[in-house]
Amino acid sequence: MSKRILMQIKNDRRTLALMLLAPLLILTLLYFVFEKAENTVDIGVINAPRAFVEELIQNNAVPVYCQDLRLLEKGEVTAVVTVESGKIHAWIDGSNKAKSGNAIQAIEAAGRGGFSVRTDLKSDYTYSYGREDLSLFDDFASILMAFLIFFLVFLISGISFLKERTTGTLEKLLSTPIKRWEVVVSYVLGFGIINVVQSVIVSFYLIYILGVMMVGSIWLVLLTTLATAITASTLGILLSTAANSEFQMIQFIPIIIVPQGFFTGLFTLPPALELIGRVMPLYYAADALKGVMLKGVGFWDISFDLMVLAALSAFFMIINTRLLKKYRRI
């Protein structure tokens, strides 16, 4: 029996590759998280002596000269600092607890590093986003919500569509005059109704029961979670065509779902590696939710994220429609 199991695994190249390569992929990402991640932060400088700026550089900060707070609003810097009359005032983006903590440490160290400023700097901090006592769960709640919704919808929709195909229901359905795109759209709409209920329950529980920080519009949160769920369902349906069983569908989790979690802001990665996240739908879902919940941004601020999710959903649906052609016998 052991020999038979070994022969089955040997002939199942997908399972063999999953067992051998997926751990290497995840361990590589963890390596970059814990070994190669940089603690440097970008700090905008409006008005500060050269000695102060040099001290920022010595304390793992990258000074960026600016005229106002626009770079902070765009998320290009973690803090903006000004030094006037021997006093430091800094505006902090507290939506990322790790980065804001590094920025505060760099500013305080620069103030003590031979430049004459007063030692009590905390009263001179203004949190433009987030707050000083932001908990770790508040920091990551929006990312975790996006990840969980994407993961569950991807898995359930993919397995459901796979069952339709393996039981012959899909082939019988396509033998009728119904169009292929109507099958895909109907499936997405069916799951869309469930996704609406899911989005409402998850969002309200997270915000009003667990009490995570929420400064934006609840309607934008619901819209974003719905867009995330639709993208996940279309991707799940697409990848289900490459699976022949529920087990093979689950095999996509460490390859498709888990790696995306590393590029949502949950971990600090080297800047060059973070660019990979720009091709992953979960990155845009997490970015939009974090912007609404922690920064209170409006619809136009997250419109690009929503457009990317909508474009990916349309792209997956188009491919799904084309792939269904092989199941139409007449």
Side-chain angles (χ1 to χ4, degrees):
M1 183 176 291
S2 298
K3 182 179 179 181
R4 180 179 62 82
I5 293 174
L6 290 174
M7 293 301 296
Q8 287 178 343
I9 296 176
K10 179 181 177 181
N11 295 327
D12 190 348
R13 296 181 179 179
R14 179 180 298 173
T15 300
L16 192 61
L18 176 70
M19 295 175 64
L20 299 178
L21 299 180
L24 300 183
L25 173 62
I26 296 175
L27 287 173
T28 301
L29 291 172
L30 289 173
Y31 167 76
F32 281 107
V33 169
F34 294 112
E35 294 291 336
K36 296 297 183 179
E38 300 178 0
N39 292 324
T40 58
V41 289
D42 295 328
I43 297 179
V45 178
I46 294 180
N47 180 30
R50 183 174 181 178
F52 181 83
V53 176
E54 291 177 350
E55 286 294 331
L56 285 177
I57 298 175
Q58 295 297 322
N59 288 278
N60 295 325
V62 179
V64 180
Y65 290 96
C66 56
Q67 301 295 326
D68 47 39
L69 301 180
R70 279 181 290 185
L71 292 181
L72 185 68
E73 296 171 353
K74 294 178 180 179
E76 297 180 11
V77 296
T78 305
V80 173
V81 62
T82 180
V83 180
E84 294 180 355
S85 303
K87 294 182 180 180
I88 295 177
H89 187 85
W91 292 264
I92 306 294
D93 180 358
S95 61
N96 188 312
K97 191 174 182 64
K99 288 187 176 181
S100 63
N102 291 336
I104 292 174
Q105 289 179 5
I107 294 171
E108 291 181 345
R112 295 190 299 264
F115 180 68
S116 179
V117 295
R118 65 178 195 170
T119 57
D120 183 14
L121 304 177
K122 291 185 178 180
S123 61
D124 290 313
Y125 291 148
T126 300
Y127 280 80
S128 298
Y129 305 113
R131 57 176 181 252
E132 185 177 3
D133 60 343
L134 186 72
S135 68
L136 194 60
F137 187 70
D138 284 326
D139 193 9
F140 294 143
S142 56
I143 298 175
L144 293 175
M145 179 166 64
F147 181 85
L148 289 175
I149 289 177
F150 193 93
F151 167 73
L152 293 174
V153 173
F154 169 85
L155 191 61
I156 294 173
S157 61
I159 291 178
S160 298
F161 199 79
L162 173 65
K163 188 175 180 180
E164 294 274 294
R165 180 166 58 83
T166 55
T167 57
T169 304
L170 181 62
E171 187 173 338
K172 294 177 182 178
L173 184 64
L174 289 174
S175 65
T176 67
I178 190 172
K179 297 181 175 59
R180 286 174 287 143
W181 69 266
E182 292 177 333
V183 174
V184 176
V185 172
S186 299
Y187 215 83
V188 173
L189 287 177
F191 267 97
I193 296 175
I194 300 176
N195 294 337
V196 170
V197 178
Q198 179 197 47
S199 300
V200 171
I201 293 176
V202 173
S203 300
F204 274 81
Y205 181 80
L206 192 65
I207 295 170
Y208 297 107
I209 303 299
L210 298 184
V212 301
M213 184 175 181
M214 173 68 180
V215 296
S217 170
I218 182 63
W219 298 108
L220 290 181
V221 172
L222 295 176
L223 176 62
T224 304
T225 53
L226 178 61
T228 303
I230 292 176
T231 305
S233 63
T234 53
L235 180 59
I237 294 172
L238 174 61
L239 293 181
S240 69
T241 59
N244 295 319
S245 65
E246 288 83 355
F247 175 69
Q248 290 187 350
M249 189 65 199
I250 294 175
Q251 289 178 345
F252 287 115
I253 295 175
I255 301 175
I256 302 298
I257 303 299
V258 174
Q260 291 193 62
F262 287 88
F263 299 94
T264 57
L266 196 60
F267 303 102
T268 301
L269 296 173
L273 196 60
E274 287 183 348
L275 294 176
I276 301 177
R278 302 301 191 273
V279 299
M280 299 181 177
L282 197 52
Y283 166 84
Y284 298 96
D287 184 64
L289 285 175
K290 193 164 187 175
V292 174
M293 295 178 68
L294 295 182
K295 296 184 178 181
V297 300
F299 174 79
W300 294 111
D301 297 295
I302 64 171
S303 59
F304 178 75
D305 293 323
L306 295 177
M307 285 190 295
V308 172
L309 291 175
L312 289 173
S313 299
F315 177 69
F316 296 148
M317 290 176 67
I318 291 173
I319 299 180
N320 284 329
T321 302
R322 292 184 177 275
L323 289 178
L324 285 180
K325 186 176 182 180
K326 66 179 181 179
Y327 298 106
R328 171 157 273 168
R329 302 303 181 187
I330 56 177

